[in-house]
């Protein structure tokens, strides 16, 4: 069996040896031009003057292009029509593209871009969520998810608490920056090599800008050097700019953003301000929750509707709440347009109940872990506020396993003893359970296509709509095809994702890459397999059931004799018999439906579950913190590839740890982002990985739904398991006081915020 076994990433050796080709490694065609962006220096105002002539006069400059040079529609928005490629009358954030330069050399292009004369009549920018709320500045109308009579339930609840906190944004910090190479062809055709998670959107945005049919644009993606959601919509306008310059000049154009420009121009994870009131009984059972989740959308809509919707549908997390109201605000600010990021609103949603349950436990002087378990979804308490049943509920199991693996009871006593004897260093232990829904929020996006060819030597070529960004999608889907044909994995050759081969694709996002593309590839391969079996039965005079594919061979069982030939031999015979050895495959996720107005339905095909225990230490003099140990249990269903999934779990957790602890975005009072590189923006490094890091995949837990070989998604859920680190930090901070006082700790929990939380606790 090829599936359910560890196989190395198909590009692992090339990654580690430097042989993997990314767009900037591709040989440049003769005459290639290099592009650079001209960006707004102001966060808000009227563009009074944009003089591009000094840039055009620079040596080696071939073209300087602005909004007037766009032959089609000056719009690159993934949703709505509120995001021009180049600003025209008004500017909305520092770093907004105004124009671009195409030159014979990269240095010439970047130098010329600095020569443009820009005059902005500045207006007061909105730079925080509170100001946007006060001015009712939104990119979309507020939305509310509600069940029951929240006001009445809160009014009659024996206990009530209210609190607020905020969680920050997060830079994607993919190793390969945004880049595109546009190659003009005959009759206006353009091939765009793009570092994108969404080739079809690249195709559409380029066509909109150029005013041409989609079939004129071919988007090609062999691999990305990381994406994390940052190349779902942002990559499209980068590709569109390159395509525009290629169309105008008739020459190949490469646009790559250096790290500082990338961070200035592109969106991040949405920061959230969360406020809530929770009602509960004397045992700690939650009776009602009234929550406000306000997202900093930045200056335009982008993918904010989906982010806010997922935050609202995950505010319950693992807990049954009979009376529930969560209202989401998409606040317009004069910052980069925030966008998709691993978890897509889920991380900002699940933290609400974690904060509430900790406060409930302190208020009642009860064990916070018992209070959590008391509120889990369970029998008779299994319907979410939006109407979906929580089926195949692994919450009790992952919770029990992580408590056992982490030796929680013993270590809690040890940590308490340590804290009593240590006046400077304090340790804390935090646990976190997770229920995370898998599917795109928008039902129509839950579909995929694939194309499979079997050649007459038995080798197989595979193409599908998913993009490979280091997460191992290509090898997983290849495993599926190898399993269908019962051949060795090295007989499958995945090829670059291309809109010319598989059209109308959904983005590789929402943890659905293997679910969608794996099934599509299965359908394509199985179609060919059935044709081959039917031919073999007719050719050898056997029944269909007598034909078996196994171990790279084909066995034909007939009365009195068995015949064996290689898979390649059968492929050659099928070709001679005029049997098609090529097929498309298509898959659409069943059962899902969603009413975005009523906020009711079944938005998720299934749920992924997990639990984590994290131990931290803080220095009460400096505010510095370290994660000392993590024990993690993740529900992967029947994992397609345990080796790949292990890497995804570990990487996602550490990325989530960075969001909660050290990755701080900072804008000055004029709206200029000042954390624009690794010297000022701290991502977690190898020394931040917990020295004790135990990951366990839930055993014997195949998906109940008909997922591909009963596997489950793994890309996003483990990121949220890092919430245990946030819980542990609050536990450690509480140890500086009497241990009975609730702690407000905004994320990221930088040393300054840890010290501030300690100071507030003591006063």
């Amino acid at each position: 069996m090829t599936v359910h076994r560890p196989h190395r990433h198909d590009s692992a050796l090339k990654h580690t040896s430097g042989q993997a080709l990314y767009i900037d490694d591709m040989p440049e065609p003769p005459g290639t031009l290099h592009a650079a962006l001209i960006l707004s220096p102001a966060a808000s105002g009227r563009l009074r003057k944009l003089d591009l002539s000094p840039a055009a006069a620079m040596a080696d400059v071939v073209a300087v292009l602005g909004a007037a040079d766009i032959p089609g529609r000056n719009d690159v928005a993934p949703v709505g029509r509120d995001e021009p490629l180049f600003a025209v009358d008004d500017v909305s954030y520092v770093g907004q593209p105004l124009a671009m330069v195409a030159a014979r050399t990269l240095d010439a292009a970047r130098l010329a871009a600095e020569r443009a004369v820009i005059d902005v009549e500045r207006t007061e920018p909105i730079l925080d969520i509170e100001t946007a709320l006060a001015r009712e500045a939104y990119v979309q109308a507020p939305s509310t998810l509600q069940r029951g009579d929240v006001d009445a339930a809160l009014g009659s609840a024996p206990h009530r608490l209210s609190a607020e906190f905020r969680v920050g944004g997060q830079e994607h910090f993919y190793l390969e920056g945004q880049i595109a190479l546009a190659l003009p062809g005959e009759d206006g055709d353009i091939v765009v090599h793009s570092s994108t998670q969404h080739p079809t959107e690249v195709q559409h945005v380029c066509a909109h800008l150029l005013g041409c049919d989609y079939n004129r644009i071919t988007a090609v993606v062999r691999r990305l050097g990381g994406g994390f959601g940052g190349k779902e919509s942002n990559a499209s306008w980068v590709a569109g700019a390159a395509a525009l310059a290629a169309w105008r000049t008739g020459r190949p154009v490469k646009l790559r953003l250096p790290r500082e420009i990338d961070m200035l121009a592109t969106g991040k994870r949405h920061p959230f301000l969360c406020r809530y009131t929770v009602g509960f009984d004397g045992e700690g059972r939650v009776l009602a929750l009234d929550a406000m989740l306000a997202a900093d959308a930045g200056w335009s809509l982008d993918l904010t509707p989906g982010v806010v919707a997922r935050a609202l549908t995950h505010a319950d997390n693992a807990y049954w709440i009979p009376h529930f109201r969560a209202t989401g605000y998409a606040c317009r600010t004069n910052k980069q347009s925030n966008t998709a990021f691993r978890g897509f609103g889920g991380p900002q949603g699940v933290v609400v109940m974690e904060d509430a349950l900790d406060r409930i436990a302190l208020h009642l002087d009860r064990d916070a872990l018992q209070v959590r378990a008391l509120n889990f979804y369970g029998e008779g308490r299994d319907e979410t506020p939006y109407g979906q049943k929580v089926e195949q509920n692994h919450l009790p199991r992952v919770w029990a396993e992580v408590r056992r693996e982490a030796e929680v009871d013993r270590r809690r006593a040890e940590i308490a003893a340590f804290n009593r004897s240590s006046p400077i260093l304090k340790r804390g232990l935090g646990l976190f359970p997770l229920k995370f829904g898998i599917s795109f929020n928008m039902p129509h996006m839950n579909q995929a296509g694939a194309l499979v060819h079997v050649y007459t030597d038995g080798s197989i070529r595979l193409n599908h709509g998913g993009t490979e960004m280091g997460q191992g999608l290509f090898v997983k889907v290849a495993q599926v095809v190898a399993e269908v044909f019962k051949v060795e994995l090295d007989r499958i050759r995945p090829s670059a994702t291309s809109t010319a081969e598989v059209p109308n694709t959904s983005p590789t996002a929402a943890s659905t890459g293997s679910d969608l593309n794996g099934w599509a590839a299965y359908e394509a391969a199985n179609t060919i397999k059935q044709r081959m079996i039917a031919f073999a039965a007719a050719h050898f005079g056997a029944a269909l059931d007598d034909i078996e594919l196994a171990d790279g061979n084909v066995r034909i069982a007939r009365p009195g004799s068995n015949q064996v030939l290689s898979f390649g031999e059968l492929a050659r015979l099928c070709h001679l018999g005029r049997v098609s050895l090529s097929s498309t495959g298509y898959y659409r996720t069943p059962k899902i439906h969603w009413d975005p107005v009523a906020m009711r339905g079944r938005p998720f095909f299934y749920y992924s579950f997990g639990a984590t225990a994290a131990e931290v230490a803080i220095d009460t003099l400096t505010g510095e913190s370290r994660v000392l140990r993590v024990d993690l249990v993740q529900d992967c269903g029947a994992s397609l590839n345990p080796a790949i999934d292990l890497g995804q779990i570990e990487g996602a957790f550490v990325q989530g740890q960075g969001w909660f602890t050290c990755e701080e975005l900072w804008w000055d009072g004029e709206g200029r982002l000042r954390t624009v590189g690794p010297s000022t923006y701290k991502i977690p490094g190898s020394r931040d990985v917990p020295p004790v890091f135990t990951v366990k995949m839930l055993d014997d837990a195949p998906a109940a739904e008909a997922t591909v070989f009963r596997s489950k998604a793994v890309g996003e859920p483990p990121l949220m398991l890092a919430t245990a680190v946030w819980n542990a930090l609050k536990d450690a901070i509480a140890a500086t006081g009497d241990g009975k006082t609730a702690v407000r700790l905004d994320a990221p929990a930088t040393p300054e915020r840890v010290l501030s939380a300690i100071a507030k606790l003591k006063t």
Side-chain angles (χ1 to χ4, degrees):
M1 179 173 281
T2 309
V3 295
H4 309 315
R5 292 184 178 179
H7 293 274
R8 73 183 179 201
H9 193 289
D10 56 292
S11 295
L13 296 180
K14 292 190 285 289
H15 285 157
T16 53
S17 63
Q19 298 179 76
L21 291 180
Y22 295 87
I23 292 174
D24 219 10
D25 301 317
M26 295 169 57
E28 294 173 357
T32 296
L33 301 178
H34 302 268
L37 297 175
I38 298 169
L39 306 179
S40 169
S44 177
R46 186 173 63 86
L47 186 60
R48 289 189 295 207
K49 181 180 181 181
L50 177 60
D51 185 0
L52 302 177
S53 59
M58 295 291 290
D60 289 322
V61 171
V62 175
V64 181
L65 306 173
D69 298 295
I70 297 172
R73 194 170 76 222
N74 183 18
D75 180 69
V76 294
V79 179
R81 291 193 179 185
D82 66 338
E83 193 171 340
L85 174 63
F86 298 134
V88 180
D89 299 317
D90 301 297
V91 296
S92 300
Y93 72 99
V94 175
Q96 184 174 9
L98 305 178
M100 68 184 297
V101 176
R104 294 182 180 88
T105 68
L106 179 59
D107 288 343
R110 291 178 177 173
L111 183 62
E114 296 175 359
R115 295 294 192 269
V117 178
I118 305 167
D119 181 20
V120 177
E121 181 182 341
R122 300 183 185 229
T123 55
E124 183 183 1
I126 299 175
L127 298 177
D128 57 67
I129 293 172
E130 289 88 346
T131 303
L133 288 170
R135 298 185 186 179
E136 297 186 346
Y138 308 130
V139 298
Q140 67 169 10
S143 52
T144 299
L145 172 59
Q146 182 166 347
R147 170 172 65 189
D149 190 336
V150 175
D151 295 328
L154 286 174
S156 62
H159 304 273
R160 287 185 303 278
L161 287 171
S162 297
E164 88 170 37
F165 63 91
R166 64 177 64 246
V167 290
Q170 188 176 20
E171 167 63 33
H172 302 88
F173 222 95
Y174 23 68
L175 291 181
E176 177 198 33
Q178 299 281 358
I179 185 169
L181 173 62
L183 308 174
E186 295 181 347
D187 302 323
D189 289 359
I190 294 182
V191 174
V192 183
H193 294 271
S194 172
S195 183
T196 179
Q197 296 173 237
H198 199 347
T200 290
E201 187 178 283
V202 165
Q203 179 191 44
H204 292 182
V205 165
C206 291
H208 293 160
L209 289 168
L210 299 182
C212 67
D213 291 339
Y214 294 160
N215 61 11
R216 296 283 189 178
I217 309 295
T218 299
V220 181
V221 188
R222 174 54 187 92
R223 60 171 60 85
L224 292 70
F228 312 118
K231 295 176 180 176
E232 185 173 342
S233 62
N234 279 317
S236 301
W237 67 258
V238 174
L244 171 65
W247 184 83
R248 279 290 180 189
T249 63
R251 294 166 65 172
V253 174
K254 181 189 287 187
L255 172 60
R256 76 276 245 186
L257 306 189
R259 183 67 59 182
E260 179 177 351
I261 300 299
D262 197 319
M263 294 184 73
L264 279 172
T266 64
K268 330 292 178 193
R269 185 190 295 282
H270 292 66
F272 269 59
L273 172 65
C274 302
R275 295 173 179 157
Y276 65 86
T277 298
V278 62
F280 51 98
D281 66 17
E283 299 295 313
R285 291 183 182 86
V286 174
L287 305 175
L289 177 72
D290 188 8
M292 182 211 75
L293 288 78
D296 184 340
W299 75 280
S300 70
L301 191 63
D302 201 272
L303 299 176
T304 296
V307 170
V308 170
R310 185 169 281 265
L312 296 180
T313 55
H314 284 75
D316 62 323
N317 187 24
Y319 311 109
W320 158 255
I321 307 169
H323 301 276
F324 178 98
R325 180 169 61 219
T327 302
Y329 294 87
C331 298
R332 185 189 299 275
T333 62
N334 292 109
K335 294 180 180 178
Q336 293 81 356
S337 186
N338 289 317
T339 189
F341 199 122
R342 199 176 198 170
F344 202 76
Q348 298 97 315
V350 299
V351 292
V352 173
M353 279 298 291
E354 291 308 301
D355 192 73
L357 290 168
D358 278 339
R359 290 177 181 272
I360 289 170
L362 288 168
H363 182 82
L364 298 174
D365 193 24
R366 299 182 69 86
D367 184 340
L369 303 187
Q370 292 179 4
V371 171
R372 281 178 168 79
L374 183 68
N375 285 284
F376 282 167
Y377 279 102
E379 188 174 351
R381 299 150 45 92
D382 60 353
E383 185 175 300
T384 63
Y386 45 91
Q388 179 167 346
K389 294 282 188 179
V390 180
E391 298 171 324
Q392 198 186 20
N393 183 0
H394 290 314
L395 282 167
R397 185 177 167 197
V398 295
W399 187 248
E401 289 198 16
V402 83
R403 290 196 62 162
R404 183 178 65 251
E405 296 291 329
E407 303 175 282
V408 167
D409 294 333
R410 177 185 64 79
R411 288 169 57 208
R412 289 174 96 182
E414 287 182 0
I415 290 169
F418 174 87
N419 288 338
R420 286 192 296 269
S421 64
S422 175
I424 305 301
L425 300 180
K426 298 292 183 181
R427 287 156 59 185
L429 185 67
L431 274 73
F432 172 72
L434 175 69
K435 169 187 66 67
F436 186 75
I438 302 298
S439 287
F440 285 104
N441 295 58
M442 302 176 70
H444 79 269
M445 297 176 70
N446 294 281
Q447 58 178 306
L451 178 63
V452 173
H453 304 314
V454 175
Y455 296 104
T456 54
D457 64 349
S459 62
I460 298 160
R461 184 177 176 89
L462 165 65
N463 193 274
H464 54 79
T467 60
E468 175 57 59
M469 55 190 118
Q471 85 279 36
L473 175 64
F474 274 24
V475 70
K476 280 187 168 183
V477 180
Q479 285 176 256
V480 170
V481 173
E483 184 66 25
V484 171
F485 289 119
K486 304 297 182 183
V487 298
E488 292 295 321
L489 185 58
D490 61 10
R491 299 292 278 167
I492 315 298
R493 180 70 172 172
S495 57
T497 309
S498 170
T499 56
E501 294 197 47
V502 176
N504 310 321
T505 59
S506 293
T508 305
S511 303
T512 62
S514 297
D515 284 2
L516 296 178
N517 296 287
W519 259 129
Y522 178 96
E523 293 295 333
N526 192 54
T527 297
I528 300 171
K529 175 184 175 180
Q530 298 308 318
R531 291 175 190 162
M532 295 177 75
I533 289 174
F535 171 81
H539 183 80
F540 292 104
L544 291 174
D545 291 343
D546 293 334
I547 312 297
E548 179 188 9
L549 274 60
D551 303 323
N553 292 316
V554 182
R555 298 191 181 97
I556 301 102
R558 287 177 295 182
S561 67
N562 289 319
Q563 186 170 353
V564 178
L565 64 159
S566 71
F567 181 79
E569 289 173 320
L570 178 58
R572 185 180 64 83
L573 289 173
C574 286
H575 174 67
L576 294 175
R578 296 185 295 177
V579 173
S580 172
L581 297 176
S582 176
S583 179
T584 60
Y586 177 79
Y587 174 74
R588 50 179 282 176
T589 307
K591 298 186 178 181
I592 56 174
H593 55 91
W594 181 244
D595 182 339
V597 177
M599 297 206 79
R600 297 279 297 175
R602 177 177 177 162
F604 309 119
F605 187 31
Y606 61 88
Y607 292 106
S608 170
F609 301 92
T612 316
E615 182 180 346
V616 304
I618 62 170
D619 185 325
T620 61
L621 298 181
T622 66
E624 294 172 288
S625 65
R626 291 291 305 274
V627 181
L628 304 177
R629 174 174 171 176
V630 167
D631 295 89
L632 182 158
V633 177
Q634 176 63 49
D635 166 27
C636 298
S639 171
L640 286 175
N641 187 325
I644 293 294
D645 285 352
L646 176 62
Q648 284 291 288
I649 294 167
E650 292 174 341
F653 182 90
V654 173
Q655 191 170 50
Q657 176 185 323
W659 179 53
F660 276 113
T661 60
C662 61
E663 296 190 46
E664 183 177 31
L665 294 161
W666 190 81
W667 287 261
D668 66 19
E670 296 183 359
R672 292 174 294 187
L673 180 65
R674 293 300 196 177
T675 48
V676 290
S679 63
T680 52
Y681 183 80
K682 186 184 185 304
I683 62 172
S686 58
R687 289 182 293 180
D688 296 301
V689 175
V692 179
F693 193 3
T694 304
V695 174
K696 180 183 179 183
M697 297 180 206
L698 195 64
D699 294 327
D700 301 319
E705 295 293 351
T707 60
V708 61
F709 290 106
R710 301 292 172 174
S711 61
K712 281 191 175 184
V714 75
E716 292 172 299
L719 184 141
M720 278 150 281
L721 294 182
T723 308
V725 173
W726 187 54
N727 290 340
L729 287 168
K730 290 190 288 183
D731 187 52
I733 293 168
T736 66
D738 59 8
K740 298 181 180 180
T741 304
V743 173
R744 171 173 172 168
L745 182 62
D746 293 346
T750 59
E752 295 89 343
R753 289 200 176 99
V754 170
L755 287 177
S756 176
I758 292 172
K760 290 177 181 176
L761 190 67
K762 291 181 177 179
T763 58

